[in-house]
Amino acid sequence: MSFTTTTLKFECETGNYHTFCPISCVSWLYQKISDSFFLVIGTKTCGYFLQNALGVMIFAEPRYAMAELEEGDISAQLHDFDELKRLCLQIQQDRNPSVIVWIGTCTTEIIKMDLEGMAPKIEEFIGRPIIVARANGLDYAFTQGEDTVLAAMAHRCPEYIKEKTLYQTSPLVLFGSLPNTVAQQLTRELENQGIKVSGWLPEARYEELPGLGSGVFVCGVHPFLSRTATTLMRRRKCQLIGAPFPIGPDGTRAWIEKICQVFEITPKNLEQREADIWENLKDYLSLVKSKSVFFMGDNLLEISLARFLIRCGMIVYEIGIPYMDKRFQASELNLLEKTCREMKVAMPRIVEKPDNSNQIQRIRALQPDLVITGLAHSNPLEARGITTKWSVEFTFAQIHGFTNARDILELVTRPLRRNNHLKDLGWSKLVKNIENKH
Amino acid sequence: MKLAYWMYAGPAHIGTLRVASSFKNVHAIMHAPLGDDYFNVMRSMLERERDFTPVTASIVDRHVLARGSQEKVVENITRKDQQEKPDLIVLTPTCTSSILQEDLQNFVERATRNTNSDILLADVNHYRVNEFQAADRTLEQIISFYLEKTSIDFSNIYSKKTEKPSANILGIFTLGFHHQHDCREIYRILKDLGIKINLIIPEGCLVTNLKKIPEAWFNIVPYREIGLMAAQYLEKKYNMPYIATTPMGLVETASWIRQIYGTSAHVAHALKRALKPEFASANFQRMCALAEGEREQVASQRDGVRYNIISNLSKKKFEEYIDQQTRFVSQAAWFSRSIDCQNLTGKKALVFGDATHAAAMTKILVREMGINVCCAGTYCQNDADWFREQVQGFCDQVLITEDHTQVGNMISQIEPAAIFGTQMERHVGKRLDIPCGVISAPIHIQNFPLSYRPFLGYEGTNQIADLVYNSFTLGMEDHLLEIFGGHDVKTVITKNLSTDDNLIWNEPAQTELKKIPGFVRNRIKRNTEKFARSKQIKEITVEVMYAAKEALAS
């Protein structure tokens, strides 16, 4: 590992990596948008994935379902339009949602089912808006599913009507789905700076979607929302504020600063606020200091998390990431570079479309203190004495803003704390030494 | 199109992957889009597997959609061949490849030229078969592939049989419901009976060993869902008998052991008859090389062994074993006579699961514990006839469905005292306040216990007895609560799956309802309301409650 690199290096591998299917976004989006219903139009494979990935949620009368395609649908013996109309009518009668979101899958792509064409007609028939998002595994990974849904939803936001406000001339809309409390926390942080958030995409209810249009500023809270950002800029004529993402106190501060800068406001107390948070994290920081991390990459949060962990004093060997939008993540990448320089650590290599099997070779060679990876690899790595943290937890935990910085470190340090408890027992390697043929 | 929230059996490729990854040193490559390798997560999490799951995907993305997989699949196969050096690579089609209709067989043929491993294309169609059927077919496919490939001449099958009676166990595999424990229990019983295990297939088996399958005297198929096709193939092709009874419960285990006796004795006699010509042909040259005296000796030794075994296979010994195990080793027989189990007599239960477990469980509950199974059901629709035949006379009605809401409605209608089902039924039970014992896949991580928990064999009967006993409200507690008016003074919670509510409970009726023990209160409330509705009564009084009780009792 060379410590002389001064800029970030980008590589691209084979794309043979493990991640969740993007249809998994229904699990958090149906909870966020409380008057919605998500209909995943796919096969048993999709249903089986959702059922297993979402576990307990299935049993709680969820507001999502599968439109399971059968052989007749594939061979076009059944009429898609009539079938979907029938199901949507049933959903409308049983659940009465304000919006039905159709999630297109690999199968609807391959058989070229014209979801976008059918939606308006069925929408008219049942008197409910139908949004179409193609969150399929042919094109996207995991969290990008939310990106496709929000990009489609951006079209449904009402037109912004200019009004006089006390705070600022232009409205600010934040995009990205966050639990309501976290959205509230971020809104308050900006309010403290005198910036009013005029709305979120998505809101807790579909009917409350914010107005969009030229003159509206938008800013993302997740690193994986590049399509939504593009749609907001190109189709809704909004102005995008390119900022690092509010993950970790450093990211949150940079995010607020960037927004303040756009609205020509000098941030108050921000430095102190950040310092207080770091002070509060002291006990965790001593645990992570100088420990090394390897991100295998599966949810696109990797750059922001790596940047935060480097600021915490960790060494990042590799940042695997499914897809790297250098434009949308530009500010975040800059902050990462700056952080590396300030913390005097080597620039990590950024590996787009990683190859899990190559990565495992590198992990064996580097022996990092922590590997952040999907569930498919966690247990096998643990059995080989390599400490892991399950990456999907970062997607479901509250990690945004100043308030939740502690939660990120709670997750990151959990395996390290576990190691401290078990370290003297002498059984960290739990496989027989048979496989040196790799 | 079908509106679905939950499914009992997974998609076809899961079955193939379960079989492939259960074999040792076999790698599966799925032809699938990103994210379809969810199987790896299940295996790594549910089974707490320590090794990397030998499954990778040859990713289908936009480019593949536009131009076809071209070299991609072949490259992925050859790469895996070099990296992992597996004995076999199973190319696994998914729902996506079913529609793309790429010539996967062609990829297999091309890859075979450059690899040391054998390559097979799993013969499964996503839209025609489910997880279990695919698993069954894949197992048969792999076995027949290796047997047909082998150069061993099986024309005289008896010359290859093991000296002592032996069996193959077909259908123990990964992510199966308590398979590991069941396998250990079967092994224990067979050992007690003096029967060797030749091969366990597919769990932990090397494909290179599959050529030894015909050496066993017979095959054991513990579960109906997987292994039956392979057993039938082996019977047809190699004249191997198989035992497809599931040794679950005392009666079935005894019948299973008797079948083992019958089959072993049958094979032993066939061996005896075949012994002489075998010496003339297969071992002729070896025998010729020996001196005259030695030859006789070896021959008689061999015969001796065979004859010994035949005389060892005494029916009396088997029967003694069954009796000993049933009455003294297993506690289940004694349990069913004990006072506790008396309190279970006539209690209502509903059973739902895969065909194997639901049928066996129904029979155990009715025949061995005196419980009243109101409804027995399975989601194995392809095996519906067998299931009906099995539970005939053991239950009031049979439910064959893949629709979990239908099962839920049935439960809320019957209101059994306990449910024995899958994880789905457990959740229905939670909502209705009815206890549930999980007896079948689909299952969660808590159904992969670390401790020894077989469902089969004699230890299995103990486990099942515990499960049943703990599922019903404990016998004496039941009575005491009724006598002393219950210890639970929480307010009435209405939990309804099927009823709408516009009935009024007056004050005294509410007070009376509160006196009823917590665990039956909801049931009584629902029954009373059902009665009131049927009589068009709007206000429920204490009198109505009693009337409802009397109406139900009659």
Side-chain angles (χ1 to χ4, degrees):
Chain A
M1 184 115 317
S2 144
F3 279 78
T4 52
T5 355
T6 49
T7 51
L8 290 166
K9 274 223 175 114
F10 296 91
E11 287 169 44
C12 189
E13 281 190 310
T14 61
N16 279 320
Y17 63 101
H18 163 76
T19 183
F20 274 11
C21 174
I23 61 173
S24 51
C25 69
V26 304
S27 67
W28 63 86
L29 288 175
Y30 95 80
Q31 286 180 323
K32 171 71 189 180
I33 310 168
S34 57
D35 53 351
S36 63
F37 192 96
F38 284 78
L39 184 67
V40 181
I41 304 161
T43 61
K44 246 182 164 25
T45 309
C46 314
Y48 196 66
F49 163 69
L50 280 179
Q51 169 174 331
N52 280 292
L54 309 186
V56 184
M57 287 187 229
I58 301 273
F59 305 108
E61 292 231 11
R63 279 173 287 101
Y64 69 80
M66 290 288 309
E68 196 183 309
L69 300 171
E70 292 165 299
E71 198 162 17
D73 299 302
I74 304 303
S75 53
Q77 287 164 346
L78 296 169
H79 203 285
D80 301 336
F81 182 80
D82 298 334
E83 291 292 295
L84 279 170
K85 194 165 98 175
R86 179 173 62 82
L87 296 192
C88 286
L89 203 60
Q90 195 183 332
I91 292 165
Q92 187 225 16
Q93 279 163 359
D94 293 354
R95 305 298 181 99
N96 192 28
S98 309
V99 60
I100 298 176
V101 183
W102 287 356
I103 303 287
T105 61
C106 305
T107 312
T108 58
E109 287 298 307
I110 296 169
I111 63 173
K112 302 206 168 22
M113 199 184 268
D114 182 20
L115 298 178
E116 279 91 348
M118 286 186 279
K121 292 177 201 148
I122 296 177
E123 182 171 309
E124 204 175 312
F125 180 78
I126 61 166
R128 264 331 107 91
I130 294 175
I131 292 180
V132 180
R134 301 175 172 203
N136 62 68
L138 295 168
D139 301 301
Y140 306 108
F142 195 12
T143 49
Q144 287 179 292
E146 174 179 327
D147 196 18
T148 63
V149 174
L150 296 190
M153 210 167 265
H155 292 285
R156 300 300 181 115
C157 293
E159 196 59 37
Y160 160 65
I161 300 149
K162 205 166 171 127
E163 51 177 320
K164 279 268 172 269
T165 60
L166 290 171
Y167 299 91
Q168 69 222 37
T169 43
S170 310
L172 169 68
V173 170
L174 300 177
F175 60 97
S177 162
L178 285 176
N180 293 339
T181 49
V182 182
Q184 201 47 245
Q185 285 161 0
L186 287 180
T187 307
R188 292 279 297 278
E189 293 291 352
L190 289 174
E191 264 171 17
N192 290 342
Q193 301 298 338
I195 295 167
K196 187 174 174 287
V197 176
S198 51
W200 281 78
L201 171 67
E203 287 282 2
R205 293 179 58 79
Y206 173 75
E207 289 163 336
E208 293 164 359
L209 283 178
L212 296 175
S214 87
V216 175
F217 281 91
V218 290
C219 187
V221 297
H222 293 310
F224 46 76
L225 296 174
S226 49
R227 277 175 65 92
T228 309
T230 315
T231 308
L232 290 171
M233 283 192 297
R234 292 199 189 143
R235 307 295 299 275
R236 302 306 308 260
K237 310 292 174 213
C238 302
Q239 265 176 289
L240 178 72
I241 304 175
F245 300 98
I247 292 169
D250 50 340
T252 309
R253 179 183 161 188
W255 182 73
I256 295 172
E257 273 175 350
K258 186 64 194 278
I259 295 172
C260 286
Q261 191 194 331
V262 169
F263 288 102
E264 292 168 335
I265 289 170
T266 320
K268 317 180 281 278
N269 281 334
L270 207 51
E271 214 163 317
Q272 189 55 44
R273 180 109 172 86
E274 191 196 350
D276 290 346
I277 298 290
W278 284 116
E279 180 63 27
N280 201 10
L281 297 176
K282 252 185 166 170
D283 48 341
Y284 280 143
L285 293 179
S286 63
L287 280 169
V288 297
K289 192 156 176 29
S290 303
K291 296 253 169 37
S292 52
V293 197
F294 190 108
F295 285 88
M296 284 184 78
D298 68 349
N299 59 16
L300 285 96
L301 294 171
E302 291 86 2
I303 303 283
S304 311
L305 287 172
R307 177 260 303 149
F308 167 60
L309 294 182
I310 292 171
R311 177 62 72 186
C312 290
M314 296 185 93
I315 299 153
V316 176
Y317 288 151
E318 174 167 330
I319 307 175
I321 185 165
Y323 168 72
M324 180 76 246
D325 186 332
K326 284 186 201 162
R327 276 201 298 176
F328 182 59
Q329 296 224 41
S331 305
E332 183 63 81
L333 288 167
N334 283 338
L335 184 59
L336 171 65
E337 249 179 26
K338 189 170 147 240
T339 306
C340 288
R341 255 181 246 121
E342 284 173 10
M343 299 303 291
K344 296 193 174 57
V345 294
M347 299 280 167
R349 57 195 278 182
I350 295 175
V351 181
E352 203 181 349
K353 286 171 166 277
D355 183 296
N356 281 165
S357 126
N358 294 346
Q359 284 184 314
I360 285 163
Q361 306 284 354
R362 295 199 285 271
I363 288 169
R364 277 169 201 253
L366 292 162
Q367 294 284 318
D369 295 310
L370 184 67
V371 174
I372 295 180
T373 177
L375 274 176
H377 299 108
S378 286
N379 269 340
L381 286 170
E382 287 284 353
R384 282 155 186 79
I386 288 169
T387 305
T388 62
K389 181 74 223 148
W390 174 33
S391 57
V392 177
E393 278 191 81
F394 293 102
T395 325
F396 292 110
Q398 309 194 341
I399 61 169
H400 288 73
F402 286 126
T403 326
N404 299 309
R406 211 179 159 78
D407 289 47
I408 311 177
L409 283 181
E410 168 71 27
L411 287 179
V412 170
T413 58
R414 194 174 297 154
L416 302 171
R417 281 178 285 137
R418 187 262 337 256
N419 285 359
N420 284 347
H421 287 300
L422 306 181
K423 66 177 180 229
D424 297 326
L425 298 170
W427 56 53
S428 61
K429 280 194 186 157
L430 292 150
V431 279
K432 285 178 190 147
N433 231 348
I434 40 161
E435 43 171 75
N436 285 327
K437 65 176 184 176
H438 293 290
Chain B
M1 261 179 233
K2 193 166 82 179
L3 199 60
Y5 298 86
W6 209 76
M7 62 183 79
Y8 285 104
H13 70 268
I14 296 288
T16 297
L17 296 180
R18 282 175 64 187
V19 168
S21 60
S22 296
F23 278 109
K24 227 193 265 175
N25 214 24
V26 171
H27 200 99
I29 295 182
M30 303 164 69
H31 187 243
L34 196 65
D36 271 1
D37 59 352
Y38 192 73
F39 175 76
N40 296 34
V41 176
M42 291 175 59
R43 201 167 120 99
S44 165
M45 285 306 288
L46 299 178
E47 288 262 41
R48 296 183 195 86
E49 185 52 60
R50 297 174 200 216
D51 281 318
F52 292 100
T53 302
V55 172
T56 42
S58 176
I59 305 278
V60 176
D61 57 13
R62 258 310 143 186
H63 301 291
V64 171
L65 217 54
R67 302 172 304 143
S69 288
Q70 296 189 345
E71 298 305 311
K72 203 170 180 179
V73 176
V74 178
E75 272 166 20
N76 277 316
I77 293 175
T78 42
R79 188 172 160 217
K80 265 305 145 205
D81 174 60
Q82 283 154 15
Q83 277 177 347
E84 313 270 336
K85 301 188 174 46
D87 297 317
L88 169 69
I89 294 176
V90 180
L91 184 59
T92 311
T94 58
C95 57
T96 308
S97 41
S98 277
I99 327 171
L100 283 179
Q101 298 195 325
E102 284 196 81
D103 190 358
L104 295 179
Q105 189 57 47
N106 174 277
F107 295 147
V108 166
E109 272 147 32
R110 273 164 55 206
T112 310
R113 283 179 229 141
N114 307 318
T115 54
N116 293 318
S117 343
D118 299 312
I119 323 278
L120 259 184
L121 173 65
D123 170 34
V124 291
N125 179 334
H126 175 90
Y127 294 95
R128 301 274 168 87
V129 295
N130 68 20
E131 175 184 358
F132 300 109
Q133 295 162 295
D136 206 10
R137 169 67 187 128
T138 304
L139 185 63
E140 184 205 22
Q141 200 188 355
I142 294 177
I143 287 176
S144 62
F145 176 78
Y146 278 97
L147 283 176
E148 273 148 37
K149 202 176 130 154
T150 174
S151 52
I152 302 171
D153 172 26
F154 285 107
S155 54
N156 184 358
I157 203 92
Y158 294 109
S159 64
K160 307 290 187 303
K161 292 288 176 208
T162 54
E163 295 274 315
K164 290 187 175 172
S166 63
N168 299 314
I169 304 176
L170 299 178
I172 305 288
F173 70 150
T174 190
L175 293 169
F177 181 71
H178 292 243
H179 275 201
Q180 305 294 343
H181 312 281
D182 286 347
C183 185
R184 234 172 95 188
E185 184 63 17
I186 293 177
Y187 172 80
R188 192 183 68 83
I189 295 180
L190 291 182
K191 200 172 159 226
D192 288 348
L193 298 173
I195 288 162
K196 270 188 55 181
I197 290 186
N198 185 46
L199 288 174
I200 296 165
I201 306 165
E203 186 64 48
C205 182
L206 284 165
V207 283
T208 46
N209 282 342
L210 289 177
K211 58 176 184 287
K212 292 201 295 198
I213 288 179
E215 290 173 19
W217 287 25
F218 57 94
N219 291 314
I220 288 174
V221 184
Y223 314 104
R224 263 195 88 68
E225 285 73 26
I226 165 184
L228 213 51
M229 274 176 93
Q232 281 158 356
Y233 162 83
L234 291 166
E235 185 185 48
K236 205 171 125 214
K237 199 92 193 224
Y238 297 95
N239 202 17
M240 289 182 81
Y242 66 89
I243 295 165
T245 301
T246 303
M248 189 167 150
L250 290 167
V251 178
E252 293 293 293
T253 305
S255 135
W256 179 74
I257 292 176
R258 288 190 187 106
Q259 285 178 52
I260 288 177
Y261 169 75
T263 311
S264 311
H266 175 79
V267 176
H269 285 292
L271 276 173
K272 201 173 112 185
R273 279 198 305 275
L275 219 54
K276 292 279 157 24
E278 177 227 332
F279 271 90
S281 61
N283 289 346
F284 182 71
Q285 289 189 333
R286 191 163 65 88
M287 294 299 279
C288 288
L290 299 169
E292 189 72 25
E294 280 175 307
R295 201 182 301 161
E296 296 267 293
Q297 211 182 345
V298 169
S300 72
Q301 261 174 8
R302 248 198 117 150
D303 280 352
V305 173
R306 300 285 202 208
Y307 287 123
N308 269 340
I309 284 151
I310 293 158
S311 57
N312 272 345
L313 283 170
S314 103
K315 192 162 188 180
K316 195 166 152 249
K317 275 177 102 176
F318 274 68
E319 289 298 335
E320 274 168 10
Y321 179 77
I322 292 171
D323 181 60
Q324 175 73 13
Q325 292 282 326
T326 305
R327 291 198 296 141
F328 305 109
V329 176
S330 159
Q331 298 293 317
W334 159 234
F335 169 74
S336 63
R337 288 295 301 184
S338 70
I339 303 301
D340 267 330
C341 197
Q342 223 177 69
N343 288 327
L344 299 182
T345 308
K347 288 220 174 185
K348 285 203 286 187
L350 177 138
V351 180
F352 194 83
D354 63 23
T356 303
H357 288 90
M361 201 63 198
T362 304
K363 288 191 240 174
I364 294 171
L365 290 174
V366 175
R367 197 159 52 181
E368 297 174 23
M369 291 179 179
I371 288 161
N372 173 18
V373 174
C374 298
C375 176
T378 181
Y379 53 81
C380 296
Q381 286 178 318
N382 57 311
D383 215 10
D385 292 340
W386 178 86
F387 185 79
R388 279 205 192 85
E389 188 194 312
Q390 289 296 305
V391 298
Q392 196 183 24
F394 288 106
C395 61
D396 304 341
Q397 52 182 323
V398 176
L399 178 66
I400 312 275
T401 181
E402 278 186 318
D403 179 1
H404 70 92
T405 54
Q406 221 180 323
V407 184
N409 287 339
M410 182 66 92
I411 294 171
S412 64
Q413 212 175 20
I414 292 179
E415 297 194 16
I419 310 166
F420 298 94
T422 70
Q423 279 293 340
M424 191 69 216
E425 282 68 51
R426 194 173 71 86
H427 281 270
V428 173
K430 255 187 183 170
R431 279 170 58 198
L432 292 172
D433 244 345
I434 302 172
C436 177
V438 175
I439 54 146
S440 157
I443 38 181
H444 285 172
I445 194 154
Q446 66 262 41
N447 304 112
F448 289 90
L450 301 175
S451 56
Y452 186 48
R453 298 266 179 81
F455 268 67
L456 304 188
Y458 289 107
E459 179 54 29
T461 61
N462 291 341
Q463 297 289 342
I464 292 168
D466 277 343
L467 182 78
V468 171
Y469 185 64
N470 293 333
S471 296
F472 286 102
T473 308
L474 305 180
M476 283 313 278
E477 194 188 347
D478 192 332
H479 286 299
L480 292 175
L481 283 169
E482 237 165 275
I483 292 163
F484 296 111
H487 50 52
D488 180 0
V489 286
K490 275 186 282 177
T491 47
V492 185
I493 316 153
T494 36
K495 278 187 197 130
N496 281 333
L497 270 188
S498 53
T499 52
D500 52 324
D501 235 348
N502 49 8
L503 294 161
I504 304 150
W505 288 69
N506 76 0
E507 280 288 332
Q510 279 186 22
T511 322
E512 190 60 28
L513 191 64
K514 278 179 197 161
K515 286 186 200 156
I516 294 162
F519 57 90
V520 284
R521 189 184 298 150
N522 279 318
R523 198 186 322 154
I524 287 175
K525 181 165 187 281
R526 275 195 297 271
N527 283 340
T528 311
E529 287 177 353
K530 213 188 276 173
F531 173 78
R533 227 171 269 124
S534 72
K535 298 272 178 225
Q536 315 228 311
I537 299 167
K538 284 270 176 268
E539 190 185 0
I540 295 174
T541 59
V542 179
E543 286 72 31
V544 175
M545 286 176 75
Y546 292 153
K549 193 179 175 193
E550 283 157 24
L552 269 177
S554 60

